[in-house]
Coordinates of all heavy atoms in Angstrom, one line a residue:
M1 N 0.1 18.0 18.7 CA -1.0 17.7 17.8 C -0.7 16.5 16.9 O 0.3 16.5 16.3 CB -1.3 18.9 17.0 CG -2.0 20.1 17.7 SD -3.6 19.7 18.2 CE -4.5 20.0 16.5
K2 N -1.6 15.6 16.7 CA -1.5 14.5 15.9 C -1.9 14.7 14.5 O -1.5 14.1 13.6 CB -2.2 13.3 16.5 CG -1.4 12.4 17.4 CD -2.2 11.3 17.9 CE -2.2 10.1 16.8 NZ -2.9 8.9 17.4
E3 N -2.8 15.8 14.3 CA -3.3 16.1 13.0 C -2.1 16.3 11.9 O -1.2 17.1 12.2 CB -4.2 17.2 13.0 CG -5.6 16.9 12.7 CD -6.5 17.9 13.1 OE1 -6.4 19.0 12.5 OE2 -7.4 17.7 13.9
E4 N -2.2 15.8 10.8 CA -1.2 16.1 9.8 C -1.9 16.8 8.6 O -3.0 16.6 8.4 CB -0.8 14.7 9.2 CG 0.2 14.0 10.3 CD 0.7 12.8 9.9 OE1 1.5 12.8 8.8 OE2 0.4 11.7 10.4
I5 N -1.1 17.6 8.0 CA -1.5 18.4 7.0 C -1.0 18.0 5.6 O 0.2 17.8 5.6 CB -1.3 20.0 7.2 CG1 -1.9 20.4 8.5 CG2 -1.7 20.8 6.1 CD1 -3.5 20.3 8.6
C6 N -1.8 18.0 4.7 CA -1.3 17.6 3.3 C -0.3 18.7 2.8 O -0.6 19.9 2.8 CB -2.6 17.6 2.4 SG -2.1 17.2 0.6
A7 N 0.8 18.2 2.3 CA 1.8 19.0 1.8 C 1.4 19.7 0.4 O 2.0 20.7 -0.1 CB 3.2 18.4 1.7
I8 N 0.5 19.1 -0.2 CA 0.1 19.6 -1.5 C -1.0 20.5 -1.6 O -0.9 21.6 -2.2 CB -0.4 18.3 -2.4 CG1 0.8 17.4 -2.7 CG2 -0.9 18.7 -3.8 CD1 0.4 16.0 -3.1
C9 N -2.0 20.3 -0.8 CA -3.2 21.2 -0.8 C -3.5 21.9 0.5 O -4.3 22.8 0.7 CB -4.4 20.5 -1.4 SG -5.2 19.4 -0.2
G10 N -2.8 21.4 1.6 CA -3.1 21.9 2.9 C -4.3 21.3 3.6 O -4.7 21.8 4.6
G11 N -4.9 20.2 3.0 CA -6.1 19.6 3.5 C -5.6 18.7 4.8 O -4.5 18.6 5.0
E12 N -6.6 18.2 5.4 CA -6.4 17.3 6.6 C -6.2 15.8 6.0 O -6.9 15.3 5.3 CB -7.6 17.4 7.4 CG -7.2 16.7 8.8 CD -8.6 16.8 9.8 OE1 -9.4 17.6 9.4 OE2 -8.8 15.8 10.5
K13 N -5.1 15.2 6.6 CA -4.9 13.7 6.4 C -5.5 12.9 7.4 O -5.5 13.2 8.6 CB -3.4 13.6 6.4 CG -2.6 14.2 5.2 CD -1.4 13.5 5.0 CE -0.2 14.3 5.5 NZ 1.2 13.6 5.4
V14 N -6.2 11.9 7.0 CA -6.9 11.0 7.9 C -6.4 9.5 7.6 O -5.9 9.2 6.5 CB -8.4 11.1 7.7 CG1 -9.0 12.4 8.1 CG2 -8.8 10.7 6.2
D15 N -6.6 8.7 8.7 CA -6.2 7.3 8.5 C -7.3 6.6 7.6 O -8.5 6.8 7.8 CB -6.3 6.6 9.9 CG -5.1 7.1 10.7 OD1 -4.0 7.1 10.2 OD2 -5.3 7.3 11.9
S16 N -6.7 5.8 6.7 CA -7.5 5.2 5.7 C -6.8 4.0 5.2 O -5.7 3.6 5.7 CB -8.0 6.2 4.6 OG -9.0 5.5 3.8
T17 N -7.4 3.4 4.2 CA -6.6 2.3 3.6 C -6.7 2.5 2.0 O -7.6 3.3 1.6 CB -7.3 0.9 3.8 OG1 -8.7 0.9 3.4 CG2 -7.1 0.5 5.3
T18 N -5.7 2.0 1.3 CA -5.7 2.1 -0.1 C -5.3 0.8 -0.7 O -5.0 -0.1 0.0 CB -4.6 3.2 -0.4 OG1 -4.7 3.5 -1.8 CG2 -3.2 2.9 -0.2
S19 N -5.3 0.8 -2.0 CA -4.7 -0.4 -2.8 C -3.5 0.0 -3.4 O -3.3 1.1 -3.9 CB -5.8 -0.8 -3.9 OG -7.0 -1.4 -3.3
F20 N -2.5 -0.9 -3.4 CA -1.2 -0.8 -3.9 C -1.0 -1.7 -5.1 O -1.2 -2.9 -4.9 CB -0.1 -1.0 -2.8 CG 1.3 -0.8 -3.1 CD1 1.7 0.6 -3.1 CD2 2.1 -1.8 -3.5 CE1 3.1 0.8 -3.5 CE2 3.4 -1.5 -3.8 CZ 3.9 -0.3 -3.8
T21 N -0.7 -1.2 -6.2 CA -0.5 -2.0 -7.5 C 0.9 -1.9 -8.1 O 1.3 -0.8 -8.2 CB -1.6 -1.5 -8.5 OG1 -2.9 -1.6 -8.0 CG2 -1.7 -2.5 -9.7
V22 N 1.4 -3.0 -8.3 CA 2.7 -2.9 -8.9 C 2.7 -3.8 -10.3 O 2.3 -4.9 -10.2 CB 3.8 -3.6 -8.0 CG1 5.2 -3.6 -8.8 CG2 3.8 -3.0 -6.7
D23 N 3.1 -3.2 -11.4 CA 3.2 -3.8 -12.6 C 4.6 -4.4 -12.8 O 5.6 -3.7 -12.4 CB 2.9 -2.9 -13.8 CG 1.4 -2.6 -13.9 OD1 0.8 -3.5 -14.3 OD2 1.1 -1.4 -13.7
F24 N 4.8 -5.6 -13.3 CA 6.1 -6.1 -13.6 C 5.9 -6.9 -14.8 O 4.8 -7.1 -15.4 CB 6.8 -6.7 -12.5 CG 6.0 -8.0 -11.9 CD1 6.4 -9.2 -12.3 CD2 4.9 -7.8 -11.1 CE1 5.6 -10.4 -11.8 CE2 4.2 -8.9 -10.6 CZ 4.6 -10.2 -11.0
N25 N 7.1 -7.5 -15.3 CA 7.2 -8.1 -16.6 C 6.0 -9.1 -16.8 O 5.3 -9.0 -17.9 CB 8.4 -8.9 -16.8 CG 9.7 -7.9 -16.9 OD1 9.4 -6.7 -17.1 ND2 10.9 -8.3 -16.6
N26 N 5.7 -9.9 -15.9 CA 4.9 -11.1 -16.2 C 3.4 -10.9 -15.8 O 2.6 -11.7 -16.0 CB 5.3 -12.4 -15.6 CG 6.8 -12.7 -16.0 OD1 7.1 -12.6 -17.2 ND2 7.6 -13.1 -15.0
G27 N 3.2 -9.7 -15.0 CA 1.9 -9.6 -14.5 C 1.8 -8.4 -13.6 O 2.5 -7.4 -13.7
V28 N 0.7 -8.5 -12.7 CA 0.5 -7.4 -11.9 C 0.2 -7.9 -10.4 O -0.4 -9.0 -10.3 CB -0.7 -6.5 -12.4 CG1 -2.0 -7.2 -12.5 CG2 -0.9 -5.3 -11.5
V29 N 0.8 -7.1 -9.5 CA 0.5 -7.5 -8.1 C -0.3 -6.4 -7.5 O 0.0 -5.2 -7.5 CB 1.8 -7.6 -7.3 CG1 1.5 -7.9 -5.8 CG2 2.7 -8.7 -7.9
V30 N -1.5 -6.8 -6.8 CA -2.3 -5.9 -6.1 C -2.3 -6.2 -4.7 O -2.6 -7.4 -4.3 CB -3.7 -5.9 -6.7 CG1 -4.7 -4.9 -6.0 CG2 -3.7 -5.7 -8.2
V31 N -2.1 -5.3 -3.8 CA -2.3 -5.5 -2.4 C -3.4 -4.5 -1.9 O -3.3 -3.3 -2.1 CB -0.9 -5.1 -1.6 CG1 -1.1 -5.5 -0.2 CG2 0.3 -5.9 -2.3
R32 N -4.3 -5.2 -1.2 CA -5.5 -4.4 -0.8 C -5.4 -4.1 0.6 O -4.7 -4.7 1.4 CB -6.8 -5.1 -1.2 CG -6.9 -5.4 -2.7 CD -8.2 -6.0 -3.0 NE -9.3 -5.0 -2.9 CZ -10.6 -5.3 -2.9 NH1 -11.0 -6.5 -3.1 NH2 -11.4 -4.3 -2.8
D33 N -6.2 -3.1 1.1 CA -6.4 -2.8 2.5 C -5.0 -2.4 3.1 O -4.8 -2.7 4.2 CB -7.0 -4.0 3.3 CG -8.3 -4.3 2.9 OD1 -9.1 -3.3 2.4 OD2 -8.8 -5.4 3.1
V34 N -4.3 -1.6 2.3 CA -3.0 -1.2 2.9 C -3.3 0.1 3.7 O -3.9 1.1 3.2 CB -2.1 -0.8 1.6 CG1 -0.7 -0.2 2.2 CG2 -1.8 -1.9 0.8
P35 N -2.8 0.1 4.9 CA -3.1 1.3 5.8 C -2.3 2.5 5.2 O -1.2 2.4 4.8 CB -2.4 0.9 7.1 CG -2.4 -0.6 7.1 CD -2.1 -1.0 5.7
A36 N -3.0 3.6 5.1 CA -2.4 4.9 4.6 C -3.1 6.1 5.2 O -4.1 6.1 5.7 CB -2.6 4.9 3.1
K37 N -2.4 7.3 5.1 CA -2.9 8.4 5.4 C -3.4 9.0 4.1 O -2.7 9.1 3.1 CB -1.9 9.4 5.9 CG -1.3 9.0 7.3 CD -2.2 9.6 8.5 CE -1.7 9.3 9.8 NZ -2.6 9.7 10.8
V38 N -4.6 9.5 4.0 CA -5.3 10.0 2.8 C -5.8 11.4 3.1 O -6.4 11.7 4.1 CB -6.4 9.0 2.4 CG1 -7.0 9.6 1.1 CG2 -6.0 7.6 2.2
C39 N -5.4 12.4 2.2 CA -5.9 13.7 2.2 C -7.4 13.8 1.9 O -7.8 13.2 0.9 CB -5.1 14.5 1.3 SG -5.8 16.2 1.3
M40 N -8.1 14.3 2.9 CA -9.6 14.5 2.7 C -9.9 15.3 1.5 O -11.0 15.2 0.9 CB -10.2 15.0 4.0 CG -10.4 14.0 5.0 SD -10.9 14.8 6.6 CE -12.6 15.1 6.2
Q41 N -9.0 16.2 1.1 CA -9.3 17.3 0.2 C -8.9 16.8 -1.2 O -9.7 16.9 -2.2 CB -8.6 18.6 0.6 CG -9.3 19.7 0.1 CD -9.0 21.0 0.9 OE1 -9.4 21.2 2.0 NE2 -8.0 21.7 0.5
C42 N -7.7 16.4 -1.4 CA -7.2 16.1 -2.8 C -7.0 14.5 -3.0 O -6.8 14.1 -4.2 CB -5.9 16.8 -3.1 SG -4.5 16.2 -2.2
G43 N -7.1 13.7 -1.9 CA -7.1 12.3 -2.2 C -5.7 11.7 -2.2 O -5.4 10.6 -2.5
E44 N -4.7 12.6 -2.1 CA -3.3 12.1 -2.1 C -3.0 11.2 -0.9 O -3.6 11.3 0.2 CB -2.3 13.3 -1.9 CG -0.9 13.0 -2.0 CD -0.4 12.7 -3.5 OE1 -1.1 12.9 -4.4 OE2 0.6 12.0 -3.6
E45 N -2.2 10.1 -1.2 CA -2.1 9.1 -0.2 C -0.6 9.0 0.3 O 0.3 9.1 -0.5 CB -2.4 7.7 -0.8 CG -3.8 7.7 -1.2 CD -4.2 6.4 -2.1 OE1 -3.2 5.9 -2.7 OE2 -5.4 6.2 -2.3
W46 N -0.4 8.8 1.5 CA 0.9 8.6 2.1 C 1.0 7.2 2.7 O 0.1 6.9 3.6 CB 1.3 9.7 3.1 CG 1.6 10.9 2.6 CD1 2.8 11.6 2.2 CD2 0.6 12.0 2.1 NE1 2.6 12.7 1.7 CE2 1.2 13.1 1.7 CE3 -0.8 12.1 2.2 CZ2 0.7 14.2 1.2 CZ3 -1.4 13.2 1.7 CH2 -0.7 14.2 1.3
I47 N 2.1 6.5 2.5 CA 2.4 5.1 3.2 C 3.6 5.3 4.0 O 4.7 5.8 3.5 CB 2.5 4.1 2.0 CG1 1.1 4.0 1.3 CG2 2.9 2.8 2.7 CD1 1.2 3.1 0.1
S48 N 3.5 4.8 5.2 CA 4.7 5.0 6.1 C 5.8 4.0 5.7 O 5.6 3.1 5.0 CB 4.3 4.7 7.5 OG 4.0 3.2 7.7
D49 N 7.0 4.3 6.2 CA 8.2 3.5 5.8 C 7.9 2.1 6.2 O 8.3 1.1 5.5 CB 9.4 4.1 6.5 CG 9.9 5.4 5.8 OD1 9.4 5.7 4.7 OD2 10.7 6.1 6.4
E50 N 7.4 1.9 7.4 CA 7.2 0.6 7.9 C 6.2 -0.2 7.1 O 6.6 -1.3 6.7 CB 6.5 0.7 9.3 CG 6.6 -0.6 10.1 CD 5.7 -0.4 11.3 OE1 5.5 0.7 11.8 OE2 5.2 -1.5 11.9
I51 N 5.1 0.4 6.6 CA 4.2 -0.2 5.7 C 4.8 -0.5 4.4 O 4.6 -1.5 3.8 CB 2.9 0.7 5.6 CG1 2.3 1.0 6.9 CG2 1.9 0.0 4.6 CD1 1.7 -0.3 7.6
A52 N 5.6 0.5 3.9 CA 6.2 0.4 2.5 C 7.1 -0.9 2.6 O 7.2 -1.5 1.5 CB 6.9 1.7 2.2
S53 N 7.9 -1.0 3.5 CA 8.9 -2.1 3.5 C 8.1 -3.5 3.7 O 8.6 -4.5 3.1 CB 9.9 -2.0 4.7 OG 9.4 -2.0 6.0
K54 N 7.0 -3.6 4.4 CA 6.2 -4.8 4.4 C 5.6 -5.0 3.0 O 5.6 -6.1 2.6 CB 5.1 -4.7 5.4 CG 4.4 -6.0 5.7 CD 3.4 -5.9 6.8 CE 2.6 -7.3 6.9 NZ 1.5 -7.3 7.8
L55 N 5.2 -4.0 2.4 CA 4.7 -4.0 1.0 C 5.6 -4.6 0.1 O 5.4 -5.5 -0.8 CB 4.3 -2.7 0.5 CG 2.9 -2.2 0.7 CD1 2.8 -0.8 0.2 CD2 1.9 -3.1 -0.1
E56 N 6.9 -4.2 0.1 CA 8.0 -4.7 -0.7 C 8.1 -6.2 -0.5 O 8.3 -6.9 -1.5 CB 9.3 -4.0 -0.4 CG 9.5 -2.7 -1.1 CD 10.8 -2.1 -0.7 OE1 11.9 -2.9 -0.5 OE2 10.9 -0.8 -0.6
G57 N 8.1 -6.6 0.8 CA 8.1 -8.1 1.0 C 6.9 -8.9 0.4 O 7.2 -9.9 -0.2
I58 N 5.7 -8.3 0.5 CA 4.7 -9.0 -0.1 C 4.8 -9.1 -1.6 O 4.5 -10.1 -2.2 CB 3.3 -8.3 0.3 CG1 3.0 -8.4 1.8 CG2 2.2 -8.8 -0.5 CD1 1.9 -7.6 2.2
V59 N 5.3 -8.0 -2.1 CA 5.4 -8.0 -3.7 C 6.5 -8.8 -4.1 O 6.3 -9.6 -5.1 CB 5.8 -6.5 -4.1 CG1 6.2 -6.5 -5.6 CG2 4.5 -5.6 -3.9
S60 N 7.5 -9.0 -3.4 CA 8.6 -10.0 -3.8 C 8.2 -11.4 -3.7 O 8.5 -12.2 -4.5 CB 9.9 -9.7 -3.1 OG 9.7 -10.1 -1.7
I61 N 7.4 -11.7 -2.7 CA 6.7 -13.0 -2.6 C 5.8 -13.3 -3.8 O 5.7 -14.3 -4.4 CB 6.0 -13.2 -1.2 CG1 7.0 -13.3 -0.2 CG2 5.1 -14.4 -1.3 CD1 6.3 -13.3 1.3
A62 N 4.9 -12.3 -4.0 CA 4.0 -12.4 -5.1 C 4.6 -12.6 -6.4 O 4.1 -13.4 -7.3 CB 3.1 -11.0 -5.1
K63 N 5.7 -11.9 -6.7 CA 6.4 -12.1 -8.0 C 6.8 -13.5 -8.1 O 6.8 -14.0 -9.3 CB 7.6 -11.2 -8.0 CG 7.2 -9.7 -8.4 CD 8.6 -8.9 -8.5 CE 8.1 -7.4 -8.7 NZ 9.4 -6.7 -8.7
K64 N 7.2 -14.2 -7.1 CA 7.7 -15.5 -7.2 C 6.5 -16.5 -7.5 O 6.8 -17.7 -8.0 CB 8.4 -16.0 -5.9 CG 9.7 -15.3 -5.7 CD 10.3 -15.7 -4.4 CE 11.5 -14.9 -4.0 NZ 11.7 -14.8 -2.6
Q65 N 5.2 -16.1 -7.3 CA 4.1 -17.0 -7.6 C 3.9 -17.1 -9.1 O 3.3 -18.0 -9.5 CB 2.9 -16.4 -7.0 CG 2.9 -16.1 -5.5 CD 3.0 -17.3 -4.6 OE1 2.4 -18.3 -4.9 NE2 4.0 -17.3 -3.8
N66 N 4.5 -16.2 -9.8 CA 4.5 -16.3 -11.3 C 3.1 -16.3 -11.8 O 2.7 -17.0 -12.8 CB 5.2 -17.5 -11.8 CG 6.2 -17.1 -12.8 OD1 6.4 -16.0 -13.1 ND2 6.9 -18.1 -13.3
Q67 N 2.1 -15.6 -11.1 CA 0.8 -15.5 -11.5 C 0.6 -14.1 -12.4 O 1.3 -13.2 -12.2 CB -0.2 -15.6 -10.5 CG -0.3 -16.9 -9.8 CD -1.2 -16.9 -8.6 OE1 -2.1 -15.9 -8.5 NE2 -1.0 -17.7 -7.7
E68 N -0.4 -14.2 -13.4 CA -0.6 -13.0 -14.2 C -1.1 -11.8 -13.2 O -0.7 -10.8 -13.4 CB -1.5 -13.3 -15.3 CG -1.3 -12.5 -16.5 CD -2.2 -13.0 -17.7 OE1 -2.0 -14.3 -18.0 OE2 -3.0 -12.2 -18.1
I69 N -2.1 -12.3 -12.4 CA -2.6 -11.3 -11.4 C -2.6 -12.0 -10.1 O -3.0 -13.0 -9.8 CB -4.2 -11.0 -11.7 CG1 -4.2 -10.3 -13.2 CG2 -4.7 -9.9 -10.7 CD1 -5.6 -10.1 -13.6
F70 N -1.9 -11.2 -9.1 CA -1.8 -11.7 -7.7 C -2.4 -10.6 -6.9 O -2.0 -9.5 -6.8 CB -0.4 -11.9 -7.4 CG -0.1 -12.5 -6.1 CD1 0.0 -14.0 -5.9 CD2 0.0 -11.8 -4.9 CE1 0.2 -14.5 -4.7 CE2 0.2 -12.4 -3.7 CZ 0.2 -13.8 -3.5
V71 N -3.4 -11.1 -6.1 CA -4.1 -10.2 -5.2 C -3.8 -10.6 -3.8 O -4.2 -11.8 -3.5 CB -5.6 -10.1 -5.5 CG1 -6.3 -9.0 -4.6 CG2 -5.8 -9.6 -7.0
A72 N -3.4 -9.7 -2.9 CA -3.1 -10.0 -1.5 C -3.8 -9.0 -0.7 O -4.0 -7.9 -1.1 CB -1.7 -10.0 -1.2
K73 N -4.2 -9.5 0.5 CA -4.8 -8.6 1.5 C -3.7 -8.2 2.5 O -3.1 -9.1 3.1 CB -5.9 -9.2 2.1 CG -7.1 -8.3 2.2 CD -8.4 -9.1 2.8 CE -9.5 -8.1 3.0 NZ -10.6 -8.7 3.7
F74 N -3.4 -6.9 2.6 CA -2.3 -6.6 3.5 C -2.4 -7.0 4.9 O -1.5 -7.7 5.4 CB -2.2 -5.1 3.6 CG -1.0 -4.5 4.3 CD1 0.2 -4.3 3.5 CD2 -1.0 -4.3 5.5 CE1 1.3 -3.9 4.1 CE2 0.2 -3.8 6.2 CZ 1.3 -3.6 5.4
G75 N -3.6 -7.0 5.5 CA -3.7 -7.3 6.9 C -3.6 -8.8 7.1 O -3.2 -9.3 8.2
S76 N -4.0 -9.7 6.2 CA -4.0 -11.1 6.4 C -2.7 -11.7 5.9 O -2.5 -12.9 5.9 CB -5.2 -11.7 5.6 OG -5.0 -11.5 4.3
Y77 N -1.7 -10.8 5.5 CA -0.5 -11.3 5.0 C 0.6 -11.3 6.2 O 0.9 -10.1 6.5 CB 0.0 -10.5 3.8 CG 0.4 -11.4 2.7 CD1 -0.5 -11.9 1.7 CD2 1.7 -11.8 2.5 CE1 -0.2 -12.7 0.7 CE2 2.1 -12.6 1.6 CZ 1.1 -13.1 0.6 OH 1.5 -13.8 -0.5
S78 N 1.1 -12.3 6.6 CA 2.1 -12.1 7.6 C 3.4 -12.7 7.0 O 3.5 -13.7 6.4 CB 1.8 -12.9 8.9 OG 1.7 -14.1 8.6
L79 N 4.5 -11.8 7.1 CA 5.8 -12.3 6.6 C 6.6 -12.9 7.6 O 6.8 -12.4 8.7 CB 6.5 -11.1 6.0 CG 5.8 -10.4 4.8 CD1 6.4 -9.1 4.5 CD2 5.8 -11.2 3.6
A80 N 7.2 -14.0 7.2 CA 8.2 -14.6 8.2 C 9.5 -13.7 8.1 O 9.9 -13.3 7.0 CB 8.6 -16.1 7.6
S81 N 10.0 -13.4 9.2 CA 11.1 -12.5 9.2 C 12.4 -13.2 9.6 O 12.4 -14.3 10.0 CB 10.9 -11.2 10.2 OG 10.5 -11.7 11.4
Ligands
LIG101 ZN1 -4.3 17.3 -0.2

């Protein structure tokens, strides 16, 4: 079975997207359209390890831009590895 159950409320988790926001000293980084599992019942979100490490990469690039607000779209962001 591929269906996953929410550990918090027992609801069903579905594939969705979310926004990921990081505050730091000089500003804020927002990454949109991040793939995530979202509980249909309570709205809790889970991001996979793979997605999370890509997010970290985007955030570290964004911090170097030194902008007050940096908005990135997850899907259109490719990281040189
Ligand atoms: Zn839930």
Side-chain angles (χ1 to χ4, degrees):
M1 288 291 284
K2 267 182 80 178
E3 242 166 63
E4 293 181 58
I5 299 300
C6 172
I8 295 164
C9 75
E12 190 184 332
K13 289 199 257 180
V14 293
D15 288 316
S16 186
T17 56
T18 186
S19 291
F20 184 81
T21 307
V22 182
D23 284 292
F24 59 100
N25 291 342
N26 304 318
V28 58
V29 178
V30 182
V31 186
R32 304 187 66 190
D33 294 338
V34 179
K37 293 270 185 190
V38 179
C39 174
M40 286 173 68
Q41 211 157 276
C42 71
E44 185 69 20
E45 297 163 347
W46 287 265
I47 294 172
S48 71
D49 290 347
E50 190 190 339
I51 300 296
S53 63
K54 191 177 173 185
L55 265 176
E56 273 177 40
I58 294 173
V59 169
S60 66
I61 289 171
K63 282 182 180 176
K64 288 177 194 154
Q65 306 295 311
N66 233 3
Q67 292 177 19
E68 213 169 302
I69 300 171
F70 187 94
V71 182
K73 223 175 176 189
F74 190 84
S76 61
Y77 229 90
S78 57
L79 292 171
S81 51

